[in-house]
Amino acid sequence: QVQLVEVGGGWVQPGNSLRLSCAVSGRTVSTLAMAWFRQAPGKEREFVVALKRSGGPTTSRDSLSGRFTIGRDKEKNTAYLQMNSLGPEDTATYYCAASGGSPITSSLKYASTYEFWGQGTQVTVSS
């Protein structure tokens, strides 16, 4: 059974950066398609960025303008989300998600693609 635990959330001032980690247990991170989603208060959960099991180009939410990057740390068996130039609109609970299959690129942005989820970590961007 795959378990995901997000760490690294907190409060950050606008314009700064923050890196979230997703600790993976039960399976090697390189065998999983990984993704990050977020949910702001009163809003639906939305896709942020994803990485296929095979690696290669990532899939990101268009509105992020390349500010967010996903990657894997194979030595630590973790996935990470590097967030730059944060703004108040990025305030949300961030969730790590994983799929043990090989989803096609067009399906990476859908929450239903992923069978494993972390509990979420809160990110607050304010001055």
Side-chain angles (χ1 to χ4, degrees):
Q1 178 72 12
V2 174
Q3 292 187 323
L4 308 176
V5 179
E6 303 97 334
V7 295
W11 171 80
V12 62
Q13 291 185 322
N16 284 353
S17 299
L18 194 65
R19 184 174 174 120
L20 305 180
S21 291
C22 175
V24 179
S25 61
R27 193 158 168 172
T28 303
V29 67
S30 59
T31 67
L32 298 165
M34 302 298 300
W36 290 89
F37 287 74
R38 68 184 183 184
Q39 187 168 16
K43 296 187 177 181
E44 294 185 353
R45 187 171 300 190
E46 64 179 22
F47 169 72
V48 175
V49 64
L51 177 65
K52 299 178 73 171
R53 185 170 70 177
S54 59
T58 61
T59 300
S60 302
R61 187 175 188 81
D62 291 341
S63 62
L64 295 176
S65 302
R67 296 184 295 116
F68 290 14
T69 304
I70 187 174
R72 293 188 183 94
D73 185 329
K74 296 179 181 180
E75 289 188 0
K76 296 180 179 179
N77 208 42
T78 62
Y80 64 82
L81 176 65
Q82 177 66 41
M83 304 183 290
N84 300 324
S85 302
L86 287 162
E89 69 278 9
D90 298 314
T91 294
T93 299
Y94 284 74
Y95 297 89
C96 175
S99 170
S102 298
I104 59 176
T105 299
S106 60
S107 70
L108 292 174
K109 61 184 178 180
Y110 298 109
S112 58
T113 296
Y114 305 93
E115 61 266 40
F116 307 112
W117 289 82
Q119 81 289 349
T121 185
Q122 177 67 37
V123 173
T124 302
V125 185
S126 71
S127 54

